[in-house]
Amino acid sequence: MKCGQGTAALVIRVGDPFCRGCFREYFVHKFRAMLGKNRVIFPGEKVLLAVSGGPASSAMVRQVQEGLSREAAKRLRFIPGLIYVEEGAVRRQSPEQREQTLAQMETLLQATGFPYHLIHLEEALELPPSILQPGLEHAGPSGPSYKEAVDSFIQQQRQDGDSGTSVPGHSTPDTAAGAPASPRLPGAAQTQELLRTFEAATTATAREELLEMLRTHLIVQTARDRGYAKVMMGESLTRVAIKLLTNLSLGRGAYLAVDTGFTDQRHGDVMVVRPMRDYTAKEIAFYNRFFSVPTVSVPPLFTKRREKPSIHQLVERFLLGLQEEFPSTISTVYRTGEKLSPEPAKASSESDRCLLCLCGLDTYGEEELALEPTLILEEPAAGAESKAAYIPLLCYSCRLTFKELGPLDTLPPYVRAEGQRRIRRAEMEQNQENQESNES
Amino acid sequence: ESFPLSVLVHCFYFRGGAELLFDGVKKHQVTLPCQPEPWDIRNLLKWIKQNLLKERPELFLQGESVRPGILVLINEADWELMGELDYKLQDQDNVLFISTLHGG
């Protein structure tokens, strides 16, 4: 043990147990080190923390609180806000249960003193099509370097008498001003509409992917609307390892680095960062237990009767089972993921960018045989909007997911609107080309 | 010369498994009956399977141990420090199970 005094409380590395005090120091330090090493969060910047109520994101909020309460030299210098996406509709919660979860979450969010946003998954039905396009980046290569930004911030703070990032005394929902304290649920019609989208998906895997997509889009849209330059997601090391193998199995091999890395820049103006990806699920569980970090539990995404489990569930079971017998499994998968490059995910133009995941298409130059499983062969009545027309807009993996989603009229409106626009645009370009070749 | 043991068993699930497994109750003050050999965690898990688990024990147990992804704390310390399955239970011990699993 490090200090040689405290009582051993947990084992992270074999033969090197931690006492509570040393563990706390180790845990808190790791967060600062993660941010310090990556240098992407600028002082004074607004950062939106995505909170699910689960262990990892709750521990993340606590780390930010810790970081903001430190003495000036070691203090985190960004301005945090919180977002919670309420997903009770697809977790088969009754309206009463949803209200209850929401009230628990609101208590948890309020207690931080940070501004917060409560969003319902139903609101994804009103997302603008522009969420499927990257926003313009504010600080390009011409912007100040990290060091310059820190220096000027510190200078500014000295002039202001160090009041720059003082934590607000109490927290208020950043939604409509003067809203009543009790949170309200979306209308029953909206919930039905959302459920129709999820129920139309034919596999549990497609539903997991759909949920993840809608949630991410809601979070990024909120960040964009409210002027947050960064979003922090709480995926743990264990979760990252599971996601690496899951996404590999889903055919997202080209995008593993952006799907799991510290930074994810696919949305352009809003950067997603994953500061918890160095902590194992075990470290997080013990930290939350020892230091009374509150969490809120919710039921899993619904499944249909006698349905096969999702790839996500199978991979989790597989990896954790293997880890039991070979304790370095998860860290090996994680470290292997560190070697991957984000380059293949970059898209140079709209026609080169996947409609759903915004990554650069990985389908060019592939042999026809390899793409065959992604094609839709049966066509609906001629002239009608067809699902097949969307396939060229999608990457390999999103094609497979898209095939398992329901008919077009069950898709979220923003996906359909943006898809239609791109299909029309591609048709116009095709016509123009044909005309030009006819003229010559 | 053995006595019944009173043990507190506490379960934390983050994806709603507790309702299914332990009849919705998170804290169980249990009294373990007298038996010739001393109670250890291995025996406790067997006892939980027979007496507390309502449905689908495979969500909680695997073989003679807990399912991978479920952490065990004995008196607020990692069971890896206490001999895991071989730990000999004392009267008034506190045994805590925390699930780190996502999908059901």
Side-chain angles (χ1 to χ4, degrees), chain A residues 22 28 36 67 80 118 185 207-208 230 248 258 264-265 270 296 302 329 343 347 372 413 424:
Chain A
C22 291
V28 173
L118 298 173
L185 295 176
R207 269 195 301 279
E208 293 272 8
K230 306 275 155 57
L248 199 62
V258 285
D264 175 351
Q265 305 197 60
V270 177
V296 173
F302 78 86
T329 302
E343 278 309 309
E372 210 184 294
R424 275 198 305 273

Side-chain angles (χ1 to χ4, degrees), chain A residues 318-345:
Chain A
F318 168 70
L319 255 190
L320 294 178
L322 207 57
Q323 167 78 14
E324 207 68 11
E325 285 173 62
F326 306 95
S328 55
T329 302
I330 286 181
S331 68
T332 305
V333 172
Y334 168 77
R335 275 185 285 111
T336 307
E338 294 302 85
K339 301 187 175 100
L340 299 166
S341 156
E343 278 309 309

